[in-house]
Structures are given as structure tokens and as C-alpha cells.
Amino acid sequence: MEQFYAYQNNGTGKRIYPYLINMQHSVADVLKHVLVIPVIDFESFGATPPAKVCPIIDIAGRSYVAMTHMMAGIPIKELGKPVEDLTAYRDKLCGAVDFLINGY
């Protein structure tokens, strides 16, 4: 699994959160779980998201909100096929995690 890639969500919440962003470094691929950020369609969000915590990213030509405050460790089997490399959003994603944990 590649870090900063969006994967199809094969879990029960896939209707609301169609993609999951793998935040976990490949060094930890020996684990049975992976740390992910779920994303929700920007149009479904219903408001302007707080950019420092929930950055807007593009996946497959659509805008999504990265729900960093909902990060979770999930079983690897819930990750589907890789959809898009989001390495270009690395600073925004890591910054959102930093802000969530450290407040800056």
C-alpha cells in the first residue's frame, strides 16, 4: 500500500466515504490495520470546511473534503483498489494532522 494514495473504500461506510487516504508509511505494512483519512464529496459536506483540519483535495476529477478528525485504523481488507496518488497534497494532509494534534 502506498502512503498518500486514495483507495476505494470497501467498508460499510463506502456510500458516504467513497475513498480512504492511506496515511501510514510502508514501513508499517506488516500490520493488519492501516491508518486512513476518510473523504466525503465536497457537495455533500454542506458548508465550507475548516481548511486547516479538513483540506479539500481532488480525486478522480472531483473535489472531496479530507475528514482528518475522523482518522482511524481499519483492517487492510477494507481498502479497495488504489484510485489516485495524492502525494501532491502531502503538506496539506500532514499539516491538518499536525493542527489536529498540536493546535498549530
Side-chain angles (χ1 to χ4, degrees):
M1 289 170 302
E2 296 294 326
Q3 186 180 35
F4 305 117
Y5 267 66
Y7 289 83
Q8 290 176 340
N9 181 357
N10 285 344
T12 57
K14 64 185 170 189
R15 200 182 88 196
I16 298 170
Y17 307 104
Y19 303 112
L20 303 168
I21 302 170
N22 177 20
M23 293 300 289
Q24 189 167 296
H25 192 278
S26 60
V27 146
D29 279 353
V30 297
L31 303 173
K32 294 180 181 180
H33 288 74
V34 62
L35 181 65
V36 298
I37 297 176
V39 300
I40 187 170
D41 186 89
F42 178 76
E43 298 298 322
S44 300
F45 192 75
T48 302
K52 285 189 175 184
V53 178
C54 299
I56 298 170
I57 57 171
D58 291 327
I59 301 172
R62 293 188 66 167
S63 294
Y64 290 88
V65 179
M67 306 294 277
T68 308
H69 60 291
M70 295 177 64
M71 275 191 311
I74 63 164
I76 290 174
K77 66 182 179 184
E78 291 186 21
L79 284 186
K81 295 178 183 177
V83 177
E84 188 142 347
D85 179 358
L86 300 176
T87 304
Y89 293 98
R90 181 188 189 284
D91 289 344
K92 283 187 177 186
L93 293 167
C94 290
V97 173
D98 254 1
F99 185 79
L100 185 66
I101 293 170
N102 298 312
Y104 56 86

